């Protein structure tokens, strides 16, 4: 693990890459890092996130995004993202729909180092028609149909967490959103944290073996929330939405 400054992020992230983003809607999004990418020369990126919001909008707004793979882009009770919707409907950005199980299994397969994972859970879904990472396959043992979910190995993942210790172990003080699998599956892992602190073994969510860079950034998720540190700043988020005509 290497501790870096926020400004160093743009020396690491590359154009034409796939970036997985942790957090969920207006909670624990790595906004400080996203803002650095938004003002960089990086372009043509694919975003992979379970549920995006300000993180996705900031990059779409600056024309950094080629494709979004997500189950949802919006602000929960504040509504869907009109900015991202407009970019998709105008064909400036490609959108590929995910389900939560697809999101998890893509990452799980990538983390395990296998090319795909079979499942019965979405065999009767129409997701096959709109998502390129799954297809119907045959169970070799009983000849029944299964869904094969292709692995994803993002070029980078960006995750905001509450703490890291001096060794690079990460602590997320809430249920993670498959971020263990995200870190294991990704090629380069970048974390922003509120502070460096000693961690007990039971507090470690992601071990140092799956951490490449750590940026200490207080309020690094702001205006999205970070449990036990600050809540989502709804007024600030609404100000952004109003300013951008959404």
């Amino acid at each position: 693990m290497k501790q870096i400054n926020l400004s160093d992020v743009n020396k690491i992230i590359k154009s034409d890459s796939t970036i997985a983003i942790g957090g969920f809607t207006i909670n624990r999004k790595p906004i400080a890092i996203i803002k650095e990418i938004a003002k960089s020369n990086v372009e043509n990126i694919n975003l992979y996130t379970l549920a995006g919001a300000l993180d996705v909008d900031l990059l779409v707004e600056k024309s950094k995004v080629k494709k979004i793979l997500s189950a949802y882009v919006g602000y929960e009770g504040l509504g869907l993202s009109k900015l991202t919707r407009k970019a998709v409907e105008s064909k400036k950005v490609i959108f590929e729909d995910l389900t939560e199980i697809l999101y998890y299994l893509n990452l799980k397969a990538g983390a395990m180092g296998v090319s795909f994972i079979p499942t019965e859970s979405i065999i009767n879904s129409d997701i096959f028609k709109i998502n390129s990472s799954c297809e119907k396959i045959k169970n070799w043992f009983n000849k029944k149909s299964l869904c094969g979910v292709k692995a994803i190995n993002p070029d980078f993942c960006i995750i905001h967490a509450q703490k890291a210790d001096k060794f690079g172990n990460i602590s997320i003080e809430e249920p993670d959103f498959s971020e263990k699998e995200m870190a294991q599956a990704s090629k380069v892992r970048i974390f922003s944290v509120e502070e460096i602190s000693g961690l007990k073994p039971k507090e470690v969510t992601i071990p140092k073996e799956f951490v490449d860079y750590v940026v200490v950034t207080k309020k690094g998720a702001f205006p999205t929330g970070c449990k036990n540190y600050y809540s989502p700043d709804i007024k600030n988020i609404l100000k952004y939405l109003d300013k951008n005509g959404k």
Side-chain angles (χ1 to χ4, degrees), residues 57-231:
D57 274 352
L58 287 169
L59 295 173
V60 170
E61 180 184 3
K62 297 298 182 180
S63 301
K64 302 295 182 183
V65 181
K66 177 172 63 177
K67 184 176 182 179
I68 300 166
L69 300 95
S70 184
Y72 171 84
V73 180
Y75 295 81
E76 300 192 20
L78 303 179
L80 296 172
S81 165
K82 293 183 181 179
L83 188 151
T84 292
R85 179 174 180 172
K86 183 178 179 180
V88 172
E89 289 179 342
S90 64
K91 302 188 184 304
K92 293 180 180 179
V93 174
I94 301 167
F95 189 92
E96 188 162 296
D97 201 8
L98 289 174
T99 65
E100 290 187 13
I101 189 65
L102 269 180
Y103 169 82
Y104 174 73
L105 291 178
N106 286 151
L107 291 172
K108 186 66 175 178
M112 292 173 63
V114 297
S115 59
F116 74 96
I117 287 181
T119 180
E120 291 183 337
S121 65
I122 53 175
I123 193 63
N124 294 315
S125 169
D126 282 339
I127 195 69
F128 295 96
K129 299 175 183 178
I130 57 175
N131 188 287
S132 62
S133 72
C134 58
E135 61 179 77
K136 291 184 179 181
I137 61 173
K138 289 290 184 182
N139 184 323
W140 300 286
F141 299 102
N142 59 19
K143 307 305 179 184
K144 291 183 178 181
S145 293
L146 293 171
C147 172
V149 181
K150 186 178 179 181
I152 187 170
N153 294 102
D155 298 299
F156 303 93
C157 76
I158 304 169
I159 299 169
H160 186 76
Q162 282 83 356
K163 298 176 183 177
D165 66 15
K166 64 180 181 180
F167 304 107
N169 297 302
I170 300 295
S171 176
I172 297 175
E173 298 176 12
E174 58 186 84
D176 72 90
F177 303 105
S178 300
E179 286 150 318
K180 296 175 188 176
E181 290 79 10
M182 182 183 289
Q184 292 171 350
S186 297
K187 298 170 185 176
V188 178
R189 292 69 61 107
I190 306 172
F191 291 81
S192 56
V193 297
E194 296 293 324
E195 61 176 318
I196 299 291
S197 175
L199 296 176
K200 298 177 182 178
K202 66 179 181 180
E203 295 176 315
V204 175
T205 309
I206 299 172
K208 64 182 185 299
E209 288 79 9
F210 302 107
V211 179
D212 295 298
Y213 299 99
V214 172
V215 183
V216 181
T217 312
K218 289 187 177 181
K219 302 197 81 172
F222 185 84
T224 69
C226 185
K227 186 177 180 181
N228 296 327
Y229 286 78
Y230 45 91
S231 299

Side-chain angles (χ1 to χ4, degrees), residues 6 9 30-38 158 190-192 215 220:
L6 194 56
V9 169
I31 298 300
I33 293 179
I34 293 294
K35 287 181 176 179
E36 286 296 312
I37 298 172
I158 304 169
I190 306 172
F191 291 81
S192 56
V215 183

